[in-house]
Amino acid sequence: KQEVTQIPAALSVPEGENLVLNCSFTDSAIYNLQWFRQDPGKGLTSLLLIQSSQREQTSGRLNASLDKSSGRSTLYIAASQPGDSATYLCAVRPGRGSTLGRLYFGRGTQLTVWP
Amino acid sequence: NAGVTQTPKFRVLKTGQSMTLLCAQDMNHEYMYWYRQDPGMGLRLIHYSVGEGTTAKGEVPDGYNVSRLKKQNFLLGLESAAPSQTSVYFCASSQRELYNEQFFGPGTRLTVL
């Protein structure tokens, strides 16, 4: 069974810092990996989707990398802002198995950016 | 284009009561999913559907039933609610091709007393 781990569980930084969130997964046979943002009491907003054949994806101040062979992904946030405060979830889509298309989620990193 | 919507947003039930959660998507997606999110547990798959008229069990299906009578709707039913089903329920959908991203609804916060 695929297991996804996110480190750290919580992170508190001052505004303006560049930061890295880590995600690791146990089975490297994946179709893709998706990073989500979740605000308190809200749903999941997709940030970036990286296919298994890709090494990285960028959107604005966000950059996600994928090293499939080592089972790792990082989400890099540049010049953090208080509005970035949220929980960030990593999820992988397995490349094999019977549950078509499902995602396996990590428990998230709770980010607080203070002014 | 509303994406994925869920009804209701909040609900409080007493133990033993029943209810149905409705998920609707307007993106013509083939695949639909129900997840639950519990503190410290991450999101776990309850049931899923790969097309109209089909359903299958995920990793935590006990106590739930589902139906997909129309392609755009995926219903999650609790026949006899238990306190252990207190959770936030998320519906998601995606296109058939597995390289596509999954889109999530806003969630339903359910409390069972």
Side-chain angles (χ1 to χ4, degrees):
Chain A
K1 178 189 169 186
Q2 178 75 264
E3 293 191 3
V4 181
T5 303
Q6 291 187 246
I7 296 174
L11 185 62
S12 181
V13 300
E15 181 177 8
E17 280 207 0
N18 302 322
L19 50 98
V20 174
L21 308 182
N22 296 293
C23 172
S24 62
F25 45 95
T26 54
D27 188 344
S28 62
I30 64 169
Y31 258 97
N32 51 46
L33 182 146
Q34 208 166 340
W35 282 95
F36 293 90
R37 169 186 172 136
Q38 185 176 27
D39 293 286
K42 303 294 185 182
L44 280 67
T45 301
S46 181
L47 297 174
L48 289 164
L49 173 70
I50 311 179
Q51 303 299 338
S52 61
S53 59
Q54 297 176 319
R55 298 287 282 183
E56 64 179 83
Q57 281 284 346
T58 298
S59 176
R61 294 183 294 108
L62 305 179
N63 175 278
S65 68
L66 174 64
D67 184 343
K68 196 177 73 164
S69 60
S70 68
R72 295 178 187 276
S73 176
T74 61
L75 179 66
Y76 176 83
I77 303 177
S80 58
Q81 303 170 357
D84 294 330
S85 298
T87 296
Y88 291 81
L89 297 169
C90 166
V92 298
R93 199 168 213 177
R96 58 188 169 202
S98 61
T99 312
L100 290 176
R102 69 151 299 168
L103 295 176
Y104 285 91
F105 282 85
R107 297 181 182 184
T109 293
Q110 187 174 357
L111 173 66
T112 302
V113 182
W114 40 277
Chain B
N1 194 342
V4 180
T5 58
Q6 293 183 232
T7 309
K9 290 185 169 53
F10 303 93
R11 186 72 185 268
V12 178
L13 290 178
K14 294 181 179 178
T15 298
Q17 288 185 318
S18 63
M19 78 163 295
T20 300
L21 283 68
L22 171 63
C23 175
Q25 52 93 6
D26 60 2
M27 297 173 282
N28 201 35
H29 286 170
E30 290 288 338
Y31 292 0
M32 296 187 75
Y33 312 84
W34 278 106
Y35 295 89
R36 60 178 288 174
Q37 184 178 38
D38 302 293
M41 297 291 292
L43 278 82
R44 294 179 292 169
L45 183 67
I46 306 171
H47 285 282
Y48 67 101
S49 168
V50 299
E52 182 178 317
T54 73
T55 63
K57 294 180 181 179
E59 61 185 298
V60 288
D62 293 343
Y64 305 96
N65 57 74
V66 287
S67 64
R68 183 107 181 260
L69 299 180
K70 294 183 179 180
K71 184 177 182 179
Q72 64 268 33
N73 295 335
F74 195 27
L75 278 63
L76 178 71
L78 286 73
E79 292 184 343
S80 179
S84 61
Q85 294 178 304
T86 294
S87 187
V88 181
Y89 292 86
F90 288 102
C91 176
S93 71
S94 68
Q95 293 176 341
R96 181 193 303 273
E97 295 78 14
L98 297 182
Y99 52 76
N100 289 292
E101 66 182 301
Q102 208 161 110
F103 294 88
F104 281 75
T108 294
R109 188 172 298 271
L110 175 66
T111 301
V112 183
L113 302 176

